[in-house]
Amino acid sequence: MEPAQKETAIAIVQKIQGTELFSLLENSMEDASRRIAELLDSTLSSETEDSSSTLRKSDLSDFDIGEFV
């Protein structure tokens, strides 16, 4: 699957998750639940990697914990 197609599929699955249409999709194909889970997992892992790398790259020299305590 091309990246653009994968992004579209992920967006659609996220929108229909929890609906009757989602249930029908899961039951319509063999291994559909596994495929859907893998698709959503790939999204979560890439979001986590992006977020954690952003946090690691942050400049914390101006951070003062005293402001939050």
Side-chain angles (χ1 to χ4, degrees):
M1 191 181 306
E2 293 180 26
Q5 291 173 322
K6 189 173 181 178
E7 288 177 25
T8 302
I10 291 168
I12 292 170
V13 168
Q14 288 175 335
K15 285 181 183 179
I16 67 169
Q17 208 168 13
T19 65
E20 186 176 344
L21 182 57
F22 183 80
S23 297
L24 291 170
L25 176 64
E26 275 189 311
N27 295 326
S28 68
M29 300 179 349
E30 187 175 321
D31 294 334
S33 295
R34 181 186 55 79
R35 291 179 182 182
I36 292 169
E38 287 174 357
L39 187 65
L40 294 175
D41 284 345
S42 69
T43 306
L44 292 175
S45 64
S46 68
E47 287 176 0
T48 303
E49 289 170 8
D50 292 343
S51 298
S52 62
S53 65
T54 302
L55 291 174
R56 278 182 263 158
K57 292 178 186 175
S58 295
D59 181 19
L60 299 177
S61 62
D62 295 333
F63 179 75
D64 181 11
I65 191 67
E67 293 178 24
F68 299 95
V69 180

